[in-house]
């Protein structure tokens, strides 16, 4: 069965990563396999938003945030440096 050729990039368009996406210094880290596994394990063990819990609300966490940013020397994979947050608190 014949296959369709891959679509060609339009030379006049900027590269996809620049179009409407925030470029982050740690993009490769956050897309890495090890981080995705740590994130999934953390959310499994800590399913609620830490900020909302402090205020007495029960909201599911969707984002794993570093308490001390890794750019400032925070541990990348240490659970003591991580917190689960909902989208609003992040």
């Amino acid at each position: 069965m014949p296959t369709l050729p891959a679509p060609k990039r339009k030379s006049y368009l900027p590269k996809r990563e620049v179009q409407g996406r925030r470029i982050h210094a740690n993009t490769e880290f956050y897309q890495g396999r090890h981080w995705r596994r740590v994130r999934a394990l953390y959310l499994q063990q800590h399913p609620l938003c830490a900020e909302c819990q402090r205020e007495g609300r029960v909201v599911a966490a969707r984002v794993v945030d570093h308490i001390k940013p890794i750019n400032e020397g925070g541990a990348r994979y240490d659970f003591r440096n991580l917190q689960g947050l909902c989208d609003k608190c992040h």
Side-chain angles (χ1 to χ4, degrees), residues 34-44 62-64:
H34 188 68
W35 169 251
R36 289 191 312 242
R37 288 180 181 170
V38 168
R39 178 190 176 280
L41 182 62
Y42 189 86
L43 286 175
Q44 186 178 32
R62 294 179 39 106
V63 179
V64 176

Side-chain angles (χ1 to χ4, degrees), residues 49-60:
C49 174
E51 287 292 322
C52 291
Q53 274 187 314
R54 288 185 197 110
E55 296 174 9
R57 295 180 302 203
V58 178
V59 179

Side-chain angles (χ1 to χ4, degrees), residues 2-21:
T3 59
L4 295 174
K8 305 266 188 213
R9 289 280 309 150
K10 308 257 189 306
S11 61
Y12 57 87
L13 291 176
K15 291 186 178 183
R16 181 182 282 290
E17 63 185 8
V18 177
Q19 268 185 337
R21 290 192 181 190

Side-chain angles (χ1 to χ4, degrees), residues 65-70 73-76 78-83:
D65 183 52
H66 288 89
I67 297 168
K68 182 175 182 182
I70 57 177
R76 291 179 173 216
D78 187 2
F79 273 27
R80 293 173 291 189
N81 189 38
L82 300 177
Q83 63 181 347

Side-chain angles (χ1 to χ4, degrees), residues 26-39:
N26 298 316
T27 299
E28 282 187 40
F29 167 73
Y30 288 114
Q31 292 177 349
R33 183 181 345 162
H34 188 68
W35 169 251
R36 289 191 312 242
R37 288 180 181 170
V38 168
R39 178 190 176 280

